[in-house]
Amino acid sequence: MSNSTEVKIYSDKKDVVKALAKEILKLSKSSEQNRFNILLSGGNTPTELFKRLSKKYAETIEWDRIHLWWGDERCVSPENENSNYKQAFDFLISQVPIPEANIHRIKGENEPDEEAMRYAGEIEQNLTFRGTNPVFDLVLLGLGEDGHTASIFPDELELFEDERICAVATHPLSGQKRITITGKVLNNANRVFFLVTGAGKSQRLSEIMNDEDAAKLLPAYYISPTNGNLIWYIDEAAAQKIK
Ligand code: 6PG
């Protein structure tokens, strides 16, 4: 785990999301660049964050400067309930005045290998580079109960060091194909925020924070931004086993 890690613990999910949304507002205002590139995570946890951003900051965040990207996507159509894009569209994109050109979705309906290459190309064309990797201003990540993050699963840990920007991953239980941003890009971000809530994540979180032998098997353990800070936004339920 990165030594510049900060852990922010809040009483419940609502308070975590309030704090994180406020930080995103602050970051978006403080950025001198004319665009702020945010990499969104998928799964269920971000839904409350999207709702908070829509409800509270639809008029205060300068959405024309915000560009939304995805850290991973299921290889399904954008209308599918499993789509990370659909979740963001329903609860955020459709609720705020963000220009369509600022939405850079992974096209889950495309052939996976082709889409991994296409999306990598879109990232290369739009982001600045630090060294050989593109730089996201903010990467939002979730934590799977198996310790995965983005769609880098424990049985595909090699994707963390994959030379490419995007790769095709396979969910270990469902076999569902996914497109994921690789670890070297995630770790090249200016800042990485994990949003982790609920007792179901407490075991993995305690391993990542306190048990290096167990954590070494978990992709999320290797998130350690080389040029930025890592902050864990968690609630007490998820933090309950941390020493
Ligand atoms: C995805 C995510 C994945 C997610 C974790 C946590 O596409 O599923 O990007 O990395 O963040 O699985 O998911 P929950 O928030 O649903 O627990």
Side-chain angles (χ1 to χ4, degrees), residues 1-3 5 139-161 180-183 186-187 192-196 201 203-209 211-212 214-225 230-232 234:
M1 191 171 73
S2 157
N3 57 15
T5 303
V139 166
L140 294 173
L141 291 174
L143 175 68
E145 293 195 11
D146 62 356
H148 80 261
T149 194
S151 278
I152 304 174
F153 294 96
D155 65 344
E156 292 184 321
L157 204 44
E158 70 280 4
L159 290 184
F160 212 94
E161 298 305 329
T180 189
I181 300 293
T182 56
L186 299 174
N187 276 340
V192 178
F193 293 168
F194 268 106
L195 171 56
V196 184
K201 308 292 174 74
Q203 178 56 35
R204 293 303 179 191
L205 210 43
S206 69
E207 290 171 3
I208 291 168
M209 302 291 178
D211 179 351
E212 194 160 21
K216 282 178 179 160
L217 303 173
L218 310 178
Y221 170 72
Y222 295 96
I223 293 295
S224 176
L230 169 61
I231 304 180
W232 290 81
I234 60 182

Side-chain angles (χ1 to χ4, degrees), residues 39-100:
L39 195 78
L40 298 178
S41 63
N44 300 313
T45 305
T47 302
E48 293 311 313
L49 173 63
F50 296 158
K51 288 179 182 172
R52 179 71 183 176
L53 288 171
S54 304
K55 179 164 168 265
K56 187 83 177 159
Y57 300 112
E59 303 309 323
T60 39
I61 286 180
E62 294 167 55
W63 292 100
D64 58 337
R65 294 175 56 239
I66 304 292
H67 283 251
L68 298 179
W69 303 80
W70 275 262
D72 66 323
E73 183 57 277
R74 293 82 181 277
C75 292
V76 295
S77 85
E79 294 80 30
N80 187 302
E81 284 309 313
N82 260 324
S83 163
N84 288 336
Y85 164 77
K86 181 179 187 308
Q87 175 210 34
F89 180 84
D90 291 348
F91 297 108
L92 177 61
I93 295 166
S94 60
Q95 308 298 316
V96 299
I98 186 166
E100 198 172 330

Side-chain angles (χ1 to χ4, degrees), residues 18-37:
K18 272 185 181 174
L20 180 49
K22 196 171 170 188
E23 183 62 18
I24 291 172
L25 168 71
K26 195 174 121 221
L27 284 172
S28 70
K29 282 187 176 300
S30 65
S31 155
E32 292 81 48
Q33 306 126 263
N34 63 357
R35 62 164 66 183
F36 192 80
N37 290 297

